[in-house]
Amino acid sequence: MSLSEIEIVSDSSKTNSTGQQPVILDVFGASAYGDLPKLTKFVQQDGVSLSQPDANGYYPLQWASLNNFPHLAHYIIQHGGDVHAVDNVRQTALHWAAVRGSVAAADVLLQNGARVEVPDVNGYRAVHVAAQYGQTSFLNYIVSKYHADFDAPDNDGRTPLHWAAYKGFADTIRLLLFWDAFQGKQDKEGCTPLHWAALRGNLEACVVLMHAGTKQELTVKDSAGFTPAQIAADRGHHHVSLILSNALRGHNSCWKDRAWINRARDIGYAPILFCIVFACTIIFINSVLFASNLQKITAVVGLWGWTAVSLSVASLLVFIRCSSKDPGYVKTSGGIRSIAGAEGPLLTIDLASTANWIGNWSQLCPTCKVLIKSFRVHLQQV
């Protein structure tokens, strides 16, 4: 089993780690370092073209996008730079922006016609690159605002979830599961994301996938006939193998015992609660109000008894109405957008605002489709 890494120049000689003033000799260096005055000089005074690549086949727009210089990206596009231009491995400037999570630069590219679903020679789209480098905010941004396909397979049938699991980026995994990424997708080798997480011994990634998945993901075998637990054991990741094996045994041991619980969950607990309250009301009437072996009750006691029965019946009627209706939502200050079919601001968050997401990825709830921390903040503001 092997994964082909993305080939993109993210650490180039154009990046200066010494802190010294860089020597900029061409439009590529000016684009990489964000020097707009020099870039302007090269273009307007020297007549240098921004639509031609350097000796390695890389474009000025790619360098500006990689290092997140949106003003340079805008200038390059306005002066002949092509957002659709590709290098030797057919990667666009948007691919390069995804490497370092350059949201601002990517926004300029996409607003000027860049296509979010363009694949390179390996079939990697911007969502794959973002998952490979753990750029969770960038991935969320292009999915929520530009509707990028977060479940798209590459040439080997691997989705962004496969890559995030392989690289061990648990926050990216949480986001993809929050978006309902298909956890059971198998690549050309029959491997699911859990297989790749187990292969690398990524414990947190395995735990996130295991808790969000079902027994099927634990038992599925790759083309060689190995389950995720077996792959982890074979690679020497015994702690991961032990956790996955124990989870599988837990599923097997309580499967039959929990069958009635699962049926109860399908029905819901409201009918059970209704029956309990109704039965208690009947017992009260029969044992107190209509009891033949008790002394004759006074008018006050009778009034109290029938008042209690009336309140109980009224409560049951209100309970039926409440359990069959939409409970509604808490209004917020506005400006939030619905996702995944959620109805009302209670189940919505502003996905296009990167500030709402920074550092909060562990607060995602794939079941309720809310960002727990942001939801609490909204409630405190009401």
Side-chain angles (χ1 to χ4, degrees), residues 275-312:
C275 292
I276 292 175
V277 176
F278 182 78
C280 290
T281 303
I282 297 300
I283 292 173
F284 176 80
I285 295 174
N286 184 65
S287 302
V288 177
L289 299 182
F290 292 160
S292 59
N293 57 341
L294 293 180
Q295 295 181 355
K296 186 176 181 181
I297 61 176
T298 63
V300 176
V301 175
L303 178 63
W304 168 81
W306 285 110
T307 300
V309 172
S310 300
L311 291 175
S312 176

Side-chain angles (χ1 to χ4, degrees), residues 220-243:
V220 65
K221 296 181 179 181
D222 61 10
S223 56
F226 293 104
T227 64
Q230 292 170 335
I231 287 180
D234 183 64
R235 293 303 179 100
H237 307 303
H238 300 294
H239 56 302
V240 174
S241 176
L242 180 62
I243 290 176

Side-chain angles (χ1 to χ4, degrees), residues 61-249:
L61 186 57
Q62 289 179 309
W63 289 113
S65 301
L66 175 69
N67 295 315
N68 199 23
F69 296 124
H71 58 294
L72 263 74
H74 182 75
Y75 179 86
I76 293 171
I77 293 171
Q78 294 298 316
H79 290 80
D82 185 7
V83 295
H84 306 300
V86 296
D87 55 23
N88 297 330
V89 289
R90 301 198 61 78
Q91 290 167 352
T92 66
L94 186 61
H95 285 91
W96 285 47
V99 171
R100 290 183 178 170
S102 304
V103 172
D107 200 37
V108 172
L109 297 172
L110 291 165
Q111 288 181 4
N112 284 275
R115 295 187 295 270
V116 74
E117 303 295 353
V118 173
D120 65 4
V121 293
N122 295 312
Y124 303 152
R125 309 182 191 187
V127 289
H128 294 100
V129 180
Q132 290 167 357
Y133 284 87
Q135 301 296 348
T136 311
S137 296
F138 182 93
L139 179 61
N140 170 74
Y141 189 76
I142 62 175
V143 170
S144 61
K145 186 171 183 179
Y146 294 100
H147 310 292
D149 186 359
F150 54 85
D151 245 350
D154 59 21
N155 292 347
D156 294 320
R158 293 162 190 146
T159 65
L161 188 57
H162 281 88
W163 280 105
Y166 176 72
K167 293 297 189 71
F169 296 123
D171 286 344
T172 307
I173 294 173
R174 291 188 184 96
L175 175 67
L176 290 168
L177 295 176
F178 178 84
W179 284 107
D180 292 327
F182 182 36
Q183 190 173 339
K185 172 69 176 177
Q186 293 179 266
D187 60 15
K188 69 175 186 179
E189 297 181 4
C191 295
T192 65
L194 187 57
H195 279 94
W196 287 114
L199 174 72
R200 290 289 294 267
N202 297 324
L203 179 59
E204 186 179 5
C206 288
V207 171
V208 173
L209 290 167
M210 181 182 65
H211 287 169
T214 62
K215 178 185 176 183
Q216 182 179 359
E217 282 80 34
L218 295 169
T219 58
V220 65
K221 296 181 179 181
D222 61 10
S223 56
F226 293 104
T227 64
Q230 292 170 335
I231 287 180
D234 183 64
R235 293 303 179 100
H237 307 303
H238 300 294
H239 56 302
V240 174
S241 176
L242 180 62
I243 290 176
L244 295 177
S245 299
N246 289 339
L248 182 58
R249 283 195 294 269

Side-chain angles (χ1 to χ4, degrees), residues 170-171 219 323 341 350 361:
D171 286 344
T219 58
S323 61
D350 186 3
W361 304 108

